[in-house]
Amino acid sequence: KFGDNPKLSGLIYPIMQAVDEQYLEVDIQLGGTDQRKIMVLARENLPKIGYKPRIEIMNPLIPGLIGKKMSSSDEKSKIDLLDNEETIKKKLNNAECVAGNPDNGIMAFLKYVIFTIKKDKKEKFIIERDKKYGGNLEFSSYEDVKKLFIEKKLHPFDLKMAVAKEINLLLKIFRKNKKELEKHWSEAADEVAKALSEGKSGAFITLGDPFFYSTYIYLYRKLKEEHPEIEIVTLPGVSSPFAAAAAAG
């Protein structure tokens, strides 16, 4: 796998990941199915060096709306918690979802998120359709939706709009405070703009990369929207996951 000349970081980083659970003193470790090999490495080898085995829990990975992986840099591939209803409908409408093929992000989200919630609440998943297209459909299980979709008796657009509606219901609670958050972000952007207009310089210092889960992103967006005349230069940083691998060689 590493070729004839493997890098030291490729050998050390998996070991660092495996011993995390020991040094964090956790009892249970949660990760995606893509971390299975690391969890197996920890489970099988940590007891050999005197550490206790932990409970490893894995959850499925949900593909992005576009392509196989969600990307923080690609707005079309993901849903943001503060996306408005129309934005979510637009993203879902443009998502990859080929008729008859259930291998996509929409079906995965439906299976692992929406139907999990529906079962807990003992509710049905409803797809609203015009009567001329057969009327509404009600489902008690993901398997029933999948079967109809594979048989091409359920149109991708109808599925997309039903999932979009469910996502909007889930995000309703986050939108309650959006106006307040927007107000604070705008105030922060105005303060920066005022200081710059007075001839001062400004810098936003972050740990790691500014676009890697940083609050800098919100200020950056507001300055771009409300003060487009301001020149912004973003210097890429090194996030901790990549710094650790690089430091290992």
Side-chain angles (χ1 to χ4, degrees):
K1 182 178 179 179
F2 292 106
D4 296 329
N5 188 27
K7 292 184 178 180
L8 180 60
S9 60
L11 299 172
I12 291 181
Y13 194 52
I15 299 174
M16 294 171 62
Q17 287 181 288
V19 297
D20 268 351
E21 58 186 46
Q22 173 65 28
Y23 287 91
L24 291 173
E25 299 181 350
V26 300
D27 298 307
I28 300 173
Q29 183 174 193
L30 171 67
T33 50
D34 60 328
Q35 300 298 311
R36 182 179 181 277
K37 290 183 178 179
I38 294 297
M39 291 184 172
V40 171
L41 176 67
R43 171 63 71 87
E44 293 182 349
N45 292 282
L46 291 191
K48 295 178 182 178
I49 55 176
Y51 299 144
K52 68 176 183 178
R54 265 69 174 192
I55 297 170
E56 271 82 30
I57 300 176
M58 289 178 285
N59 59 278
L61 293 179
I62 297 177
L65 298 176
I66 304 294
K68 287 293 181 184
K69 284 191 174 182
M70 294 186 198
S71 171
S72 60
S73 60
D74 187 357
E75 291 291 331
K76 296 178 181 178
S77 74
K78 63 188 177 72
I79 297 293
D80 287 330
L81 293 179
L82 295 177
D83 278 346
N84 60 44
E85 292 189 20
E86 288 306 313
T87 297
I88 287 176
K89 287 180 181 179
K90 184 177 180 180
K91 285 183 176 181
L92 268 290
N93 190 40
N94 293 329
E96 294 177 355
C97 185
V98 179
N101 183 2
D103 185 18
N104 56 68
I106 293 177
M107 289 292 283
F109 191 86
L110 178 65
K111 179 180 181 179
Y112 295 116
V113 179
I114 294 176
F115 263 105
T116 298
I117 295 172
K118 291 294 183 185
K119 286 182 180 179
D120 288 343
K121 293 184 176 181
K122 294 180 173 57
E123 296 176 349
K124 291 184 178 182
F125 174 60
I126 300 174
I127 295 180
E128 298 177 350
R129 302 189 306 183
D130 193 286
K131 287 185 178 180
K132 66 180 179 180
Y133 297 121
N136 294 352
L137 295 171
E138 295 187 0
F139 299 93
S140 299
S141 71
Y142 168 78
E143 287 70 26
D144 291 339
V145 179
K146 182 180 178 181
K147 181 177 182 295
L148 213 62
F149 190 74
I150 291 175
E151 294 173 351
K152 296 186 179 181
K153 295 178 180 178
L154 172 58
H155 196 279
F157 178 78
D158 294 326
L159 174 67
K160 288 178 177 182
M161 291 302 99
V163 172
K165 182 177 180 179
E166 293 293 339
I167 292 175
N168 276 320
L169 289 173
L170 290 175
L171 298 185
K172 195 173 182 180
I173 188 171
F174 294 100
R175 296 191 184 114
K176 286 183 178 180
N177 297 324
K178 185 176 181 180
K179 288 185 178 179
E180 189 68 20
L181 291 171
E182 292 282 355
K183 175 187 173 185
H184 292 309
W185 294 334
S186 291
E187 288 174 351
D190 290 341
E191 285 187 30
V192 171
K194 182 175 182 297
L196 294 177
S197 68
E198 295 171 352
K200 300 177 182 177
S201 297
F204 192 111
I205 301 173
T206 67
L207 291 173
D209 187 82
F211 288 115
F212 192 77
Y213 296 106
S214 170
T215 51
Y216 166 77
I217 298 171
Y218 301 109
L219 179 60
Y220 174 84
R221 286 176 178 169
K222 277 300 173 186
L223 286 171
K224 283 289 187 182
E225 291 172 6
E226 301 177 5
H227 302 279
E229 74 283 359
I230 295 176
E231 181 183 358
I232 304 174
V233 178
T234 303
L235 302 178
V238 180
S239 58
S240 57
F242 302 113

